[in-house]
């Protein structure tokens, strides 16, 4: 009986260490990706948008994209805002092609793009679990 208890305790400790090791590994990978991407910033994103910063927030790799001339409140009220968000959600898969992101695909990391205006007011934020990089999104329906 004592042998079974010892084996059970040893097994429980081994499982806990493996789980903890996975968390540390994801964090190390996130920090490495952050460091590699940060070295390339600031970088143009699209038209007047600029990717300014990258941070790690828990298991999220957050890329901050600024619109130096935009106004978040007015943009959120504009016609087509939801379509813009959907378009950016699909475009988030483009991050999957980056070598810095490839190391995160088998982790619990979440890729995030945070869009802010010149006053740091949030337009919107989109996210994608890195594991989904292996399953690209379906093409959007064709508008008549």
């Amino acid at each position: 009986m004592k042998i079974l208890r010892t084996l059970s305790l040893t097994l429980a400790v081994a499982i806990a260490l493996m789980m903890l090791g996975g968390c540390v590994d994801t964090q190390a990978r996130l920090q490495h990706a952050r460091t590699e991407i940060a070295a390339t910033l600031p970088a143009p994103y699209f038209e007047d948008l600029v990717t300014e910063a990258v941070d790690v927030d828990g298991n999220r790799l957050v890329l901050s994209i600024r619109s130096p001339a935009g106004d978040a409140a007015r943009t959120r009220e504009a016609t087509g805002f939801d379509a813009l968000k959907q378009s950016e959600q699909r475009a988030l898969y483009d991050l999957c092609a980056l070598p810095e992101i490839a190391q995160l695909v088998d982790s619990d990391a979440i890729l995030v793009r945070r869009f802010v205006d010149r006053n740091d007011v949030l337009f919107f934020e989109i996210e994608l679990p890195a594991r989904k990089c292996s399953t690209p999104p379906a093409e959007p329906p064709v508008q008549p």
Side-chain angles (χ1 to χ4, degrees):
M1 197 56 119
K2 186 175 182 180
I3 293 174
L4 285 176
R5 236 180 294 146
T6 303
L7 285 174
S8 294
L9 181 59
T10 303
L11 181 60
V13 169
I15 289 171
L17 287 173
M18 286 190 307
M19 289 173 60
L20 181 60
C23 293
V24 171
D25 188 43
T26 296
Q27 284 301 309
R29 292 183 201 184
L30 282 165
Q31 290 299 334
H32 181 262
R34 186 203 63 74
T35 300
E36 293 293 313
I37 294 169
T40 68
L41 302 179
Y45 176 69
F46 179 76
E47 292 182 358
D48 70 333
L49 300 176
V50 177
T51 304
E52 288 189 340
V54 60
D55 293 300
V56 173
D57 180 15
N59 67 334
R60 298 165 27 112
L61 183 71
V62 182
L63 287 98
S64 296
I65 300 170
R66 182 174 309 279
S67 173
D71 181 294
R74 286 192 358 205
T75 301
R76 284 193 303 269
E77 294 172 3
T79 304
F81 179 71
D82 289 334
L84 171 66
K85 278 179 63 174
Q86 290 172 358
S87 172
E88 286 298 336
Q89 184 67 47
R90 285 187 303 278
L92 190 54
Y93 279 86
D94 294 344
L95 286 177
C96 297
L98 296 176
E100 299 87 354
I101 300 303
Q103 65 177 328
L104 298 173
V105 172
D106 65 344
S107 73
D108 63 347
I110 297 173
L111 311 175
V112 179
R113 279 189 176 143
R114 179 178 294 152
F115 294 85
V116 296
D117 70 10
R118 63 184 171 266
N119 298 314
D120 288 327
V121 177
L122 183 69
F123 285 101
F124 60 92
E125 189 173 281
I126 52 174
E127 60 182 52
L128 173 72
R131 290 184 190 278
K132 289 196 174 187
C133 281
S134 59
T135 55
E139 289 298 314
V142 176
Q143 298 293 326

